[in-house]
Amino acid sequence: MAKPVDDTTLERQPTMEPPAAPRGPSAYLLVIAGPSFGEMHRLQGNRSVIGRADTAAIRVLDDGISREHAAIERDGGKNLLVNLGSTNGTFCNGTKVERQELVDGDKISVGASTILKFTYQDQIDERYQKRLFESSLRDGLTSTFNRRYFVDRLNTEMRFASRHDKSLALLFIDVDHFKRINDGFGHQAGDHVLAAVAREMIATIRAEDVLARYGGEEFAVICREIERDGALALGERLRAAVAGARFEYEGRVIPVTVSVGAAVARKPQQAQPLIAAADAAMYEAKRAGRNRVSFHE
């Protein structure tokens, strides 16, 4: 029998707050050219620094970017572009500037190739721009980054590693016997496995690592400032995460493992040798029996 409702209890419940009013247009910087193409940054507070430093509000990893290159400062109702003594200068609509008020549509150039557009967006515009940005960089099936973004980001990370004398690690991960999964369980099951494997890896890598679908059943991870032992340790965590997960599709359990190849470069100059080394290591892992990690010396 249902318990009777206590009317006095209902009366004591707090009333629901009305939904917040939509936020008016806010100032943004859209990256319309350069390695960070498509990124969208809402300007918050009275000062937003543009630069390559980890502490920069708008972080840009491009050649010729100073640690604190420029800033957008609020002055009353105005937004001012301020050069912060950058080595290569700050440009607005093609003109080198030290301090200039921004208007909607102004284009800010910094570094070798980065252009940022100053604009005002409302919440609807913001959501649309973010969806557009995500769709241009993400693989539709696995939600990992796509190959185009991988190539661009690898070149950016190589320049960073070379400039700062840091190491850069690259891991290639291939789903073992993927053709057997497709043939034995169907292509939809294969897609399900790829998406599930990607989720396991996303949960395993560091926040600063970049996971991309390189092609087919093959993934790649870019790892900044990791040496040989760290690359092998990450590869083993990825291998173990997949091997220890349960993959099931329409009531059928699918056994899944991965082979991982790792390579590390110090001050890399070209992407292809690092890609080739990680790829060779992955095939070494497959030849050695699969479900293991190999490092290319």
Side-chain angles (χ1 to χ4, degrees), residues 84-102:
L84 299 180
S86 62
T87 302
N88 297 305
T90 300
F91 297 79
C92 182
N93 300 325
T95 302
K96 191 174 184 179
V97 299
E98 291 299 322
R99 187 178 183 89
Q100 178 164 318
E101 181 182 352
L102 293 170

Side-chain angles (χ1 to χ4, degrees), residues 43 47-48 56 79 94 115 118 135 154 165 215 217-218 276 278:
L43 300 177
R47 191 171 188 262
S48 299
N79 287 280
I115 301 175
F118 177 78
S135 65
L154 181 60
D165 193 19
E217 66 272 22
E218 192 172 342

Side-chain angles (χ1 to χ4, degrees), residues 25 35 59 81 102 120 178 180 196 255 284:
R59 194 159 184 240
L81 172 63
L102 293 170
Y120 290 95
F178 186 68
R180 292 184 189 177
E284 288 170 12

